[in-house]
């Protein structure tokens, strides 16, 4: 027998206290998957050209840059407010809530092979690299789980709304020009969508999602 949408909608509303007061604490420190990618030439090697004056040579990309985001964890899920669940059809219900800030913190490492070309000839190779901390956050937005109904309830997916913002802080010795290039790269539509996807996957698969689903089923059964 399929679980009726109305019972799921009612159970979600009965979870208001738990969602608003318990979920933020359970979500905090949940691990977000590492993100490793070859990012091509995003212009960081241009930093090596600064201050060269009238020199005929220039630094140019000599291979794909590599960006690694690691030790990513949810640092904050603040001011959560439950919203009314809605039935999409007889077998699907959306379970939404809003939040003031969803923040993910972690570390970054960046390296881009560079080469110095003098009158068209490569004469020196090097690496424009840097590391430090990264913050990815979405403010004043919302997310919703998609619950599939059959003889039980399962969480099929989750959608995080809003536009992420990115801030990167270099370790001592980092070059601000590189950081500016990285922030610009990470703030493109494609990269921000990658951030959102990582957040969505975390909210679907983390332990707190399992705890939430278990409680929802208990509310329905009760």
């Amino acid at each position: 027998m399929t679980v009726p949408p109305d019972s799921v909608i009612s159970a979600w509303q009965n979870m208001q206290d738990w969602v608003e007061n318990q979920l933020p604490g359970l979500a905090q420190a949940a691990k977000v998957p590492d993100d490793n990618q070859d990012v091509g030439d995003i212009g960081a090697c241009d930093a090596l050209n600064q201050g060269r004056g009238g020199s005929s040579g220039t630094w140019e990309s000599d291979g794909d840059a590599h960006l690694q985001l690691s030790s990513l964890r949810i640092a904050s899920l603040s001011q959560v407010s439950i919203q009314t669940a809605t039935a999409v059809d007889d077998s699907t219900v959306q379970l939404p809530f809003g939040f003031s800030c969803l923040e993910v913190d972690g570390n970054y490492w960046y390296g881009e092979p560079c080469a110095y070309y003098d009158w068209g000839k490569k004469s020196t190779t090097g690496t424009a690299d840097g590391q430090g901390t990264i913050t990815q956050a979405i403010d004043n937005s919302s997310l919703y789980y998609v619950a599939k109904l059959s003889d039980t309830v399962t969480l099929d997916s989750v959608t995080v709304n809003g536009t992420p913002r990115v801030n990167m802080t270099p370790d001592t010795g980092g070059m601000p020009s590189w950081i500016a290039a990285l922030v610009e790269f990470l703030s493109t539509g494609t990269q921000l969508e990658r951030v959102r996807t990582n957040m969505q996957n975390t909210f679907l698969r983390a332990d707190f999602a399992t705890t939430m689903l278990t409680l929802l089923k208990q509310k329905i059964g009760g």
Side-chain angles (χ1 to χ4, degrees):
M1 179 180 178
T2 301
V3 176
D6 286 349
S7 66
V8 179
I9 293 172
S10 176
W12 179 248
Q13 198 63 42
N14 288 335
M15 288 178 60
Q16 179 174 359
D17 182 72
W18 186 89
V19 170
E20 294 183 354
N21 297 305
Q22 301 299 319
L23 179 61
L26 293 176
Q28 189 169 344
K31 182 172 174 52
V32 179
D34 292 348
D35 188 357
N36 298 286
Q37 53 182 312
D38 291 325
V39 297
D41 178 13
I42 65 172
C45 293
D46 291 342
L48 298 177
N49 293 314
Q50 296 179 8
R52 303 199 71 88
S55 173
S56 59
T58 58
W59 288 95
E60 298 177 7
S61 177
D62 195 34
D64 282 345
H66 183 77
L67 178 63
Q68 178 181 7
L69 307 182
S70 61
S71 303
L72 298 172
R73 295 186 180 277
I74 295 177
S76 176
L77 178 64
S78 60
Q79 296 182 7
V80 173
S81 58
I82 198 168
Q83 298 171 357
T84 303
T86 56
V88 178
D89 51 42
D90 289 342
S91 62
T92 308
V93 173
Q94 291 183 352
L95 310 174
F97 60 82
F99 54 86
S100 174
C101 181
L102 168 59
E103 179 179 315
V104 173
D105 293 346
N107 302 320
Y108 76 87
W109 174 84
Y110 171 78
E112 179 172 354
C114 301
Y116 185 69
Y117 289 84
D118 190 9
W119 299 109
K121 181 179 179 181
K122 182 167 66 174
S123 58
T124 304
T125 59
T127 302
D129 58 9
Q131 59 187 7
T133 58
I134 181 170
T135 298
Q136 303 164 309
I138 299 178
D139 301 310
N140 299 316
S141 193
S142 63
L143 62 79
Y144 64 86
Y145 284 92
V146 175
K148 289 292 186 180
L149 315 182
S150 57
D151 58 340
T152 186
V153 180
T154 57
L155 297 180
D156 183 66
S157 63
V158 62
T159 298
V160 177
N161 296 310
T163 301
R165 56 180 169 86
V166 178
N167 181 63
M168 305 179 76
T169 304
D171 288 343
T172 301
M175 290 187 65
S177 299
W178 297 340
I179 304 307
L182 283 172
V183 171
E184 182 178 358
F185 170 76
L186 286 170
S187 298
T188 62
T190 300
Q191 292 301 312
L192 290 180
E193 189 59 37
R194 193 175 180 120
V195 173
R196 191 194 337 271
T197 297
N198 283 343
M199 290 183 177
Q200 291 173 170
N201 289 340
T202 298
F203 270 82
L204 186 62
R205 295 181 173 85
D207 289 343
F208 64 81
T210 302
T211 301
M212 185 190 74
L213 180 60
T214 299
L215 182 58
L216 180 67
K217 290 178 178 179
Q218 290 174 354
K219 295 284 187 182
I220 294 171

